[in-house]
Amino acid sequence: MKRFLIGMVMLGLVGVVVWAAHRRIKESAAAGAGRGRQRGAVAVETTAVRRGALTDVRVLTGTLRADAHIVIAPKVAGRLETLAVDLGDTVRHGQALATLESEEYAQRVEQARAELEVVRAGTEQARNALDVARREYERAEALREKQIASESELDVARSRFDTADANLKVALAQTSQKEAALRSAEIQLSYTRIAAVWEDGEGSRPRVVGERFADQGAMLKANDPIVSLVSLDPIRAVVQVTEAEYTLMQPGRSATLTCDAFPDRVFPGTITRVAPLLREATRKARVEVDVPNPDHLLRPGMFVRVRVELAQRDDTVIVPSYALVRRDEQQGVFMVVPGETTTVRFVPLRLGIRNGTNAEVLDPPDLAGDLVVLGQHLLQRSEEHTSELQHRIRSLMPSSA
């Protein structure tokens, strides 16, 4: 029991010593922090506000697409008998590309033609019968007027005439039906000869075989693809823009294009189409840029960077973008107080063009002097402990023009 009491006393003494030491350390830290707030300097770098030209340029990434892309496919089923083009071949409007086995379709044409001849002969026979019936009816009418023929004989002649007239109409309708069947068979036969046809027609630029989907001898169903044709001049760059950039994209605006395949080449282009809506999933809109490609250097599927110049100022106030800070929901910079080297003040700014490296100052328009470009985040931290706008600093670099 005695040993237990001694242990408890010793444990209490240790606790008192630890508490006293912790309190003294805390008081020392608070005192040091207070002295730091009163006398501490913040290390920063400064540079001078300058005037000059500034361009608002956006660099967008996208993919090249063919200006036109069509798939050539047969309208009827059959075996692919010949294929006259292959990958990369140049194709002109109306050029023959492939043929299907045509014997069956040719036989259908002959059958339809023969059936048409039969009904035409029947039509001629019905026409002759109608002429005979008309003459008999006219004779019966004349005899009836002279009271030689009876009324029943006239009725019989009229009935034969009406029947002959109806038979001729049926024969004429059958003739039209067989003529249509013949035209259909001839059209199907023509479908076995597959040519390159597109809306631009004669005089349009040739196209190139982009893909081949079938080989000679393959059995094809109707609409099975054979080859695809692409137009490479002009070629189209497709980029996606955000809401902030969307309103700045206007058809007719110039652009330039670069790609990894030709790092030393810059290709001029023009914005031709801007989507009227933004996709809800991405909040982006499609913008198309047409690029002349007479040498066919650019190909569909290439990754490209599109540079669009949106605005330009020839003489304006410019500050580095990395000097900007936000304070109390205002964006601005820390400026060195004129006549002093160790005091700065926060100046809110209204900005115009921003190109990633520099920013245009619209207000105040006469901004001049040195501003903090490195270490401004430390100045912001010091404001957490004081309401003053001026801070004692030590500049690591002298102000430069």
Side-chain angles (χ1 to χ4, degrees):
M1 185 64 180
K2 185 176 182 180
R3 290 181 180 180
F4 175 75
L5 292 175
I6 294 173
M8 292 296 293
V9 172
M10 294 296 294
L11 184 60
L13 291 175
V14 170
V16 170
V17 171
V18 170
W19 175 81
H22 173 72
R23 182 176 179 182
R24 188 162 186 176
I25 291 173
K26 186 175 181 180
E27 290 175 352
S28 298
R35 289 192 299 271
R37 286 195 298 268
Q38 295 174 0
R39 299 187 299 272
V42 178
V44 299
E45 292 183 12
T46 63
T47 189
V49 176
R50 64 183 181 88
R51 298 188 67 90
L54 188 63
T55 302
D56 186 6
V57 175
R58 305 296 170 89
V59 179
L60 310 169
T61 58
T63 304
L64 291 180
R65 298 279 189 268
D67 179 59
H69 182 279
I70 60 176
V71 176
I72 302 298
K75 294 184 178 181
V76 294
R79 186 178 66 85
L80 184 59
E81 193 170 63
T82 63
L83 181 59
V85 294
D86 208 335
L87 288 177
D89 289 350
T90 300
V91 176
R92 296 188 176 277
H93 176 78
Q95 178 178 334
L97 301 181
T99 59
L100 298 180
E101 199 171 49
S102 60
E103 287 81 358
E104 182 179 351
Y105 296 100
Q107 183 61 35
R108 291 179 185 177
V109 171
E110 293 301 322
Q111 181 179 352
R113 186 175 289 118
E115 292 175 352
L116 176 60
E117 292 300 322
V118 171
V119 296
R120 280 177 176 172
T123 302
E124 189 64 26
Q125 183 179 5
R127 186 175 285 112
N128 294 335
L130 178 62
D131 291 340
V132 173
R134 180 183 293 111
R135 288 194 297 270
E136 290 180 354
Y137 175 59
E138 291 173 351
R139 187 182 305 112
E141 275 189 323
L143 293 174
R144 179 59 183 162
E145 289 177 359
K146 297 178 181 180
Q147 300 297 319
I148 297 174
S150 64
E151 187 68 29
S152 62
E153 290 175 333
L154 179 61
D155 291 341
V156 170
R158 184 185 297 114
S159 176
R160 289 176 180 173
F161 172 75
D162 291 341
T163 301
D165 183 58
N167 290 338
L168 178 60
K169 291 179 179 178
V170 171
L172 290 173
Q174 289 176 340
T175 301
S176 298
Q177 183 182 32
K178 294 302 180 182
E179 287 175 347
L182 176 60
R183 286 195 297 270
S184 177
E186 289 174 339
I187 290 173
Q188 287 189 321
L189 177 61
S190 70
Y191 287 160
T192 62
R193 297 183 293 274
I194 302 168
V197 179
W198 50 82
E199 291 183 359
D200 296 345
E202 294 292 341
S204 61
R205 300 187 183 212
R207 302 191 177 182
V208 179
V209 178
E211 295 176 277
R212 188 183 72 187
F213 304 104
D215 296 319
Q216 288 185 202
M219 289 299 299
L220 302 177
K221 299 188 295 293
N223 299 320
D224 278 351
I226 299 176
V227 295
S228 68
L229 303 179
V230 294
S231 175
L232 299 180
D233 184 23
I235 199 166
R236 181 170 300 158
V238 177
V239 298
Q240 304 292 329
V241 299
T242 63
E243 294 182 48
E245 300 162 334
Y246 178 72
T247 57
L248 303 175
M249 299 295 164
Q250 300 295 330
R253 189 182 294 277
S254 299
T256 57
L257 182 145
T258 58
C259 62
D260 294 338
F262 305 99
D264 299 328
R265 291 284 302 271
V266 177
F267 300 89
T270 304
I271 296 177
T272 54
R273 298 169 191 84
V274 178
L277 52 85
L278 286 79
R279 292 185 178 273
E280 186 175 354
T282 61
R283 305 297 179 186
K284 291 185 177 182
R286 178 186 176 112
V287 175
E288 297 181 355
V289 180
D290 281 1
V291 182
N293 190 32
D295 299 329
H296 294 182
L297 296 178
L298 301 175
R299 298 301 177 99
M302 284 184 174
F303 175 82
V304 293
R305 286 170 288 275
V306 178
R307 186 177 185 270
V308 183
E309 184 176 306
L310 301 177
Q312 183 174 357
R313 304 284 189 272
D314 294 329
D315 183 25
T316 189
V317 179
I318 300 174
V319 298
S321 295
Y322 50 83
L324 299 172
V325 295
R326 184 170 292 277
R327 180 179 180 276
D328 296 334
E329 301 302 322
Q330 288 185 316
Q331 199 166 32
V333 293
F334 283 102
M335 300 292 299
V336 177
V337 176
E340 302 186 30
T341 60
T342 58
T343 306
V344 299
R345 61 188 178 89
F346 178 79
V347 178
L349 304 177
R350 184 167 66 89
L351 303 177
I353 294 176
R354 298 183 66 172
N355 63 4
T357 304
N358 296 307
E360 175 192 20
V361 178
L362 299 178
D363 187 42
D366 56 349
L367 184 70
D370 292 336
L371 73 158
V372 178
V373 295
L374 182 63
Q376 61 268 41
H377 62 287
L378 300 176
L379 301 177
Q380 286 182 294
R381 289 177 182 174
S382 65
E383 290 182 359
E384 296 175 359
H385 306 289
T386 178
S387 60
E388 298 179 359
L389 293 180
Q390 296 184 344
H391 307 270
R392 309 299 294 178
I393 64 173
R394 174 171 53 84
S395 178
L396 296 181
M397 291 181 59
S399 301
S400 58

